[in-house]
Amino acid sequence: MQGQAQLTLFDVIEAQDTATWVASNTKAYAELVQGDYVEIRWEDGSVVSGWCAARHPVDGVWQVQQDTQGWAPGQKGPRYIYLGRWIETWRFVRRDDTWQLAPTPDELSAWMRKQAQDLPLSRFHELYHAATDAWPMGVDAAWREAMSETFTELAIQRFPLDQYLREHRKARGSGKRIWACPERVCREITETIWPMPPEARLDAVMALRWTRAEDFEDEYVKAHGALRGFNRSTASIYEGYLRWAIAHAKDARQLLEVLDDWGSNPVREAESNEQAEVAQ
């Protein structure tokens, strides 16, 4: 038939070889555990090897840490292969009781400090993403927290708040306007929250609420405008830096710019309902 690919003798031999290779597997996917050393065979016949490091927190597939000599955080190319997500051609090689997930938080922190020395603010985000790639998704939350804390500490050391805001607002084209909240909330921040002791500002900021209807005249927005507030969870890799900046802004205007950079989002529905019941 015209247009239909013709199998060559090479294709047939390759398919038979792959089938034999897979049939030699001594473990089922469900039997794999952390530290198992496996081989993965690509369509071109090449083979890569690595350790089952962790299950993906969403779909549960094994994330295989490639056995690549000389790997370092920030190296180009993926460190982890998702075994079971479009990859069926694999086999168990051996159990490796000596394998340990690396780098440790201390090792990664030391690498981040070294790399941060020459990075300008415009590229500083690359440090965070390179560090994130060091570990599989779903790794111990304490490890991720240590990495984020190191990033925040380095950002505070490297970049004065004036510089951070100036470059970020220029990159976003923010100009002088505050986009994250309506005028009423801006006034509350400058008149009520700014005079507070620096350590008290964050809690006061987190308690602020408004609806999108305060910003828009559109009837649809008025009818469906969910209750909003400043971000209460990770909204940016600079979240830690911005939390620090709320207490270290030099004046009320700079505090507004910090919160504008942090941004706002809808409050969870349960909290919106609680607020509505109180209002009644």
Side-chain angles (χ1 to χ4, degrees):
M1 181 181 292
Q2 253 187 346
Q4 187 173 11
Q6 297 294 316
L7 288 176
T8 66
L9 179 59
F10 174 81
D11 293 327
V12 173
I13 294 174
E14 176 64 21
Q16 291 174 342
D17 184 51
T18 299
T20 301
W21 190 85
V22 172
S24 68
N25 205 345
T26 58
K27 263 196 177 186
Y29 190 87
E31 297 172 326
L32 292 173
V33 295
Q34 189 179 59
D36 279 355
Y37 193 82
V38 298
E39 292 178 338
I40 296 168
R41 185 165 180 159
W42 302 120
E43 290 184 357
D44 63 3
S46 62
V47 175
V48 295
S49 305
W51 297 267
C52 291
R55 293 271 195 176
H56 193 281
V58 177
D59 54 21
V61 300
W62 273 108
Q63 298 166 90
V64 176
Q65 176 190 313
Q66 293 191 64
D67 186 3
T68 305
Q69 295 296 324
W71 186 92
Q75 178 180 330
K76 298 295 183 182
R79 188 184 189 196
Y80 293 94
I81 300 174
Y82 296 101
L83 183 61
R85 183 187 294 171
W86 309 300
I87 297 176
E88 302 298 334
T89 311
W90 65 275
R91 68 178 178 180
F92 169 76
V93 178
R94 68 179 184 273
R95 170 71 186 154
D96 190 347
D97 290 320
T98 65
W99 176 82
Q100 292 183 328
L101 183 60
T104 66
D106 286 345
E107 290 169 339
L108 187 63
S109 177
W111 176 85
M112 292 174 70
R113 294 179 191 284
K114 183 178 179 180
Q115 297 299 311
Q117 294 173 7
D118 300 319
L119 273 181
L121 180 56
S122 61
R123 293 184 52 213
F124 204 69
H125 62 279
E126 296 174 9
L127 179 66
Y128 183 96
H129 296 303
T132 300
D133 289 341
W135 298 317
M137 294 293 294
V139 76
D140 188 338
W143 284 32
R144 296 281 182 193
E145 185 176 348
M147 184 272 292
S148 294
E149 288 176 352
T150 298
F151 180 82
T152 296
E153 178 187 339
L154 292 170
I156 292 172
Q157 291 173 359
R158 289 287 316 282
F159 306 114
L161 187 52
D162 278 341
Q163 178 190 356
Y164 172 90
L165 291 172
R166 181 173 62 254
E167 293 194 29
H168 272 232
R169 293 184 72 78
K170 181 178 179 181
R172 293 166 53 206
S174 299
K176 294 183 178 180
R177 180 173 175 183
I178 301 298
W179 298 89
C181 62
E183 284 297 323
R184 175 188 63 81
V185 178
C186 286
R187 288 194 301 272
E188 188 166 352
I189 293 169
T190 57
E191 297 172 6
T192 304
I193 295 178
W194 166 251
M196 291 180 174
E199 65 275 9
R201 290 177 194 155
L202 180 60
D203 286 343
V205 163
M206 302 297 268
L208 292 172
R209 295 291 180 269
W210 65 93
T211 70
R212 292 292 278 171
E214 290 189 65
D215 280 329
F216 298 94
E217 294 301 322
D218 185 275
E219 292 301 320
Y220 179 85
V221 175
K222 285 186 177 182
H224 300 85
L227 200 63
R228 298 185 67 84
F230 285 106
N231 285 312
R232 294 157 303 286
S233 58
T234 303
S236 162
I237 62 174
Y238 285 102
E239 180 190 2
Y241 181 91
L242 294 172
R243 285 174 177 266
W244 166 85
I246 289 172
H248 290 82
K250 67 179 181 181
D251 53 37
R253 174 64 193 187
Q254 192 173 69
L255 177 58
L256 284 176
E257 292 181 0
V258 168
L259 295 174
D260 196 46
D261 192 85
W262 195 4
S264 60
N265 60 6
V267 175
R268 61 187 179 88
E269 186 175 349
E271 186 176 342
S272 297
N273 292 339
E274 291 169 5
Q275 296 261 344
E277 289 176 4
V278 170
Q280 292 175 359

